[in-house]
Amino acid sequence: DTGVEVESETRFFAWVYLDAETPPQAIMLQFNDGSWDHRKVWGSDDIVYGRSPENRPAYRRSGPLPELGQWVRLEVAAEDVGLNPGSKINGMAFTQFGGTAYWDDAGIISSKVVPDLVAQSLLKSPQDRTADEAHKVTEHYFQTNPVIREQQTELQALELKRKAVYESAPATVVSKATTPRPIRVLPRGDWMDDSGELVEPAIPEFLGRLESNGRATRLDLANWLCETDNPLTARTMANRMWSLMFGRGLCASVDDFGGQGTYPSYPELLDLISLEFVGSGWDVKKLLKQIVLSQTYQRSSRGTPDLLQRDPYNEWFARQASFGLLAESVRDSALSISGLLVEKVGGPSTHPYQPAGYYAQLNFPRREYQADQNENQYRRGVYSHWQRTFLHPMLKAFDAPSREECTAQRARSNTPLQALTLLNDPSFVEAARVFAQRIMTEGGEDELSRIMWAYRQAVSREPSAEVAATLLQLFSTQYEYYRDHAESADQLVRVGLAPLAEGLAIDELAAWTSLARAILNLHEVITRY
C-alpha cells in the first residue's frame, strides 16, 4: 500500500527473470487506484483478467515476452495503463501464466517520490551512471529506506549521548612552563654552580638533529622518533608485536635493541615487516594480521627431537611457541570455560574478589576494598582495579609487573603459588563450580562422558585413556568424601555470587567442582600452545 499520487510523468518498474528452459506463456503487471483495471501484458493472451479484443488500459498488450535467461527491467508509464494524474496508487501486483519467473526489485518513479536527477539516473543501468549520479541514487536510498533511517536516528541519539559524556568528563590538567628553565652543565655535579655551559634540548649529534622552530620540544622529539628514515622505532614496535604472537621476538631482547641486546634471528625479515608497518601508516592491526596469516605462525608447536636439540630456544621459528598466558588472561580463561566471562568493552575499573586486609598497610587515607556484587565481577582481567604497587594477588602470582616502571617484557615463572591460586582463589573456585554445573547438565549421562566433555571444553582435545582414568578416580574419591561431609560440600558450592543451579545434588556437584578445579589447574589450560 503506497498511497502515491500519480503525476503525468509517473512510471512504474519491476525486475523479472524468465527461466529459459521453462518460461511462462505470459506475464502481467497490475496497478490499483481503487480498481485493478490497469494492466500491461507481455507474451500470450492466456491471462484472462481484463482481457478484451481492444488494446485498452484494462489489458494493454506490450508484445512478446522479455528476453529469457537474464534479468530484465520492465517499465510502464502511468498514462499507458489509464492511470490519470491525481489518482492514488494503492497496490501493485505481478502475475504469470505457467513456467518459472523470478520477480525482484519494483517501485514507482515520480517527482513526489524520487527527485528528478535520481529518477533520470535510475533510467540508466548502474554501470552507465556517472559517479555523481551513483552518489545521488545511494544518498536517496539511505534517506528513504525506513530501516536505515531508524538506524541513523539511533546513531544520532548515541552520538549526542557520547558528546554529553565527553563534555561532562573532567579535562586532563596539563602543565606547561611559559619560560623554560635554563639547563647547564654542572661542574663536578654541583647543582649550585651556574657557571657551566648552557645546554639546549637535542638528540645525540651522531643521530642527526631535531627539526624545530626555536627551542626543541617533546613533540619535535616524538616526530623525529617516527620519521620514515628512523628505523629504530618501527623495528622496536614490529619486534614487540612479533614477541606478543610468538612469545619471543625476532630480536630476543625485546627491551634492549642496543649493542647490549641480542642480534635478530632474521634481520631481513625484521626490516621487511618494519617497512611495511611504516608504509601502512603504522597500522598495528594490519601488522598483527600479517603475522597471524603467515606460514610461520600457523606451524605446530610440537618440534621434532632433532629440532628441539638443534634449536632449543626456537631462534629459527621453525615451530610455533608454547608459553604461559599473561596474568590478566589466566583468570579470563577460567571464566570463559565456565561460561561466566562478561565480554563488555570499556567502562570503569572492576573489583574482583580479594583477600580481606590486603590494603591494611596503605595509609593516607586508609582504604577498604569492596568486591563487585554484579556482572563486573566477571569482566576481563584487564579492567581489574590496580592500587599503586598493590596489584591484585592473583596478578602478582602470575608475574604481572608492579607498573612502577615501563615493562616491555614480563618475566615468566612456574611456581607452586600459581597452583595454589588456581585451586583456592574464590574467582577460580566459583568458575570451577559453574563449570561443574555445565558438566552435569551438558556433558552427558554417564561419568566418563562428562569427563571427556569437560576436558575437551578446557583443553580443546580428548584426554588420553590414562588421564581419563585418573580423573574418573578423582571424581569417585571426591564423591565419596562429600557424600559423607554434607557441610563441606555445601560450603564449596556456595563460593561466589553466581546463583546455584536448581535440581542438582549438592554432594555430586561438589565432587564435579573438585574435578573442575583440577582441570582448570592443568598446565595446558594456562599455557598458550
Side-chain angles (χ1 to χ4, degrees):
D1 183 3
T2 62
V4 176
E5 187 175 316
V6 173
E7 296 178 298
S8 58
E9 297 182 357
T10 295
R11 297 184 303 282
F12 306 91
F13 71 91
W15 287 88
V16 66
Y17 181 98
L18 305 182
D19 189 85
E21 296 183 0
T22 58
Q25 281 75 48
I27 59 174
M28 172 189 286
L29 290 179
Q30 301 181 78
F31 310 94
N32 185 293
D33 64 347
S35 166
W36 284 105
D37 286 338
H38 309 279
R39 305 178 178 89
K40 195 156 190 177
V41 184
W42 290 261
S44 70
D45 286 335
D46 287 303
I47 300 176
V48 299
Y49 306 126
R51 192 178 68 193
S52 63
E54 303 84 14
N55 187 19
R56 60 189 182 85
Y59 192 87
R60 184 74 75 189
R61 293 174 173 81
S62 189
L65 289 172
E67 189 167 351
L68 305 179
Q70 66 180 39
W71 284 103
V72 178
R73 177 187 168 107
L74 306 177
E75 191 164 311
V76 179
E79 61 181 0
D80 194 32
V81 291
L83 291 168
N84 299 317
S87 59
K88 290 191 175 181
I89 300 302
N90 301 316
M92 182 175 177
F94 314 95
T95 309
Q96 67 189 72
F97 188 90
T100 303
Y102 302 94
W103 298 90
D104 204 286
D105 195 23
I108 301 173
I109 301 176
S110 168
S111 61
K112 292 184 181 294
V113 179
V114 182
D116 290 340
L117 180 58
V118 177
Q120 294 170 9
S121 302
L122 288 172
L123 294 175
K124 302 179 181 180
S125 61
Q127 58 268 27
D128 294 335
R129 296 170 192 160
T130 65
D132 184 58
E133 289 172 339
H135 176 71
K136 293 291 185 184
V137 171
T138 302
E139 283 297 309
H140 178 73
Y141 175 75
F142 286 161
Q143 293 170 4
T144 57
N145 185 285
V147 176
I148 295 178
R149 288 176 63 183
E150 181 181 353
Q151 291 175 343
Q152 287 177 333
T153 302
E154 292 179 3
L155 180 61
Q156 290 172 357
L158 289 172
E159 285 290 348
L160 290 174
K161 185 176 179 181
R162 176 177 177 272
K163 182 179 179 182
V165 171
Y166 271 86
E167 289 178 350
S168 64
T172 302
V173 178
V174 178
S175 61
K176 181 179 179 181
T178 54
T179 304
R181 183 167 59 90
I183 304 298
R184 298 178 180 274
V185 175
L186 301 178
R188 300 181 63 83
D190 184 356
W191 59 274
M192 298 185 67
D193 187 339
D194 60 359
S195 63
E197 179 185 357
L198 284 171
V199 179
E200 293 293 322
I203 58 175
E205 187 175 355
F206 75 93
L207 292 176
R209 58 191 306 274
L210 294 178
E211 297 293 335
S212 61
N213 295 322
R215 191 175 190 271
T217 65
R218 285 177 290 181
L219 178 60
D220 297 323
L221 176 62
N223 288 332
W224 174 79
L225 285 172
C226 294
E227 285 288 344
T228 55
D229 60 352
N230 176 15
L232 187 59
T233 305
R235 281 177 176 167
T236 301
M237 189 64 181
N239 190 58
R240 289 191 181 184
M241 293 299 102
W242 187 278
S243 175
L244 187 67
M245 307 307 289
F246 287 90
R248 181 191 187 281
L250 287 165
C251 174
S253 54
V254 175
D255 54 351
D256 189 347
F257 247 59
Q260 301 295 321
T262 57
Y263 193 75
S265 301
Y266 299 98
E268 296 85 358
L269 175 58
L270 182 56
D271 287 345
L272 174 64
I273 61 176
S274 301
L275 286 171
E276 293 185 354
F277 180 44
V278 176
S280 68
W282 305 85
D283 191 333
V284 174
K285 287 185 178 180
K286 185 174 182 180
L287 173 60
L288 290 175
K289 182 178 180 181
Q290 182 183 18
I291 294 174
V292 169
L293 294 180
S294 68
Q295 183 194 47
T296 306
Y297 183 82
Q298 297 176 27
R299 289 173 178 167
S300 170
S301 59
R302 292 183 177 181
T304 63
D306 178 62
L307 183 61
L308 292 173
Q309 182 179 5
R310 297 170 60 195
D311 182 25
Y313 299 109
N314 200 24
E315 295 180 9
W316 301 343
F317 297 101
R319 62 185 185 275
Q320 184 51 269
S322 300
F323 51 91
L325 298 177
L326 294 177
E328 293 83 352
S329 299
V330 172
R331 176 172 168 273
D332 294 354
S333 177
L335 292 177
S336 179
I337 293 169
S338 69
L340 283 173
L341 184 66
V342 175
E343 299 187 36
K344 177 182 174 183
V345 176
S349 298
T350 61
H351 298 76
Y353 309 119
Q354 183 170 288
Y358 185 61
Y359 284 169
Q361 303 305 316
L362 280 176
N363 297 310
F364 314 114
R366 298 186 68 84
R367 298 164 179 82
E368 288 189 8
Y369 185 87
Q370 295 292 333
D372 287 322
Q373 300 295 312
N374 51 28
E375 69 170 12
N376 287 339
Q377 184 61 234
Y378 311 113
R379 295 191 61 201
R380 294 171 57 210
V382 71
Y383 296 112
S384 294
H385 172 79
W386 198 301
Q387 182 64 55
R388 295 185 181 177
T389 58
F390 281 70
L391 67 163
H392 192 279
M394 176 263 151
L395 298 178
K396 189 172 184 179
F398 284 90
D399 306 314
S402 65
R403 294 188 183 178
E404 293 175 273
E405 59 185 20
C406 177
T407 305
Q409 191 170 20
R410 295 187 180 188
R412 293 196 183 107
S413 65
N414 184 1
T415 67
L417 187 59
Q418 294 174 355
L420 288 172
T421 300
L422 293 174
L423 285 172
N424 299 294
D425 186 308
S427 291
F428 293 95
V429 175
E430 181 182 26
R433 189 256 298 172
V434 176
F435 186 29
Q437 293 175 178
R438 291 187 62 203
I439 294 172
M440 295 178 68
T441 57
E442 303 175 37
E445 297 299 326
D446 60 273
E447 295 170 359
L448 184 57
S449 297
R450 290 178 176 181
I451 288 173
M452 302 293 279
W453 182 89
Y455 200 90
R456 189 167 58 248
Q457 293 296 312
V459 183
S460 299
R461 67 172 178 82
E462 300 285 353
S464 65
E466 183 180 2
V467 170
T470 301
L471 291 174
L472 186 59
Q473 178 60 38
L474 171 64
F475 170 77
S476 300
T477 302
Q478 293 296 304
Y479 186 38
E480 290 179 7
Y481 174 81
Y482 286 118
R483 193 168 49 192
D484 298 332
H485 298 79
E487 185 177 346
S488 296
D490 189 69
Q491 289 178 350
L492 177 62
V493 300
R494 296 192 184 280
V495 172
L497 298 172
L500 194 63
E502 298 180 359
L504 301 180
I506 298 299
D507 52 358
E508 186 179 2
L509 177 59
W512 284 114
T513 299
S514 294
L515 181 131
R517 290 170 72 194
I519 291 178
L520 294 180
N521 200 355
L522 289 173
H523 181 71
E524 289 178 90
V525 175
I526 61 171
T527 303
R528 183 266 199 204
Y529 285 93

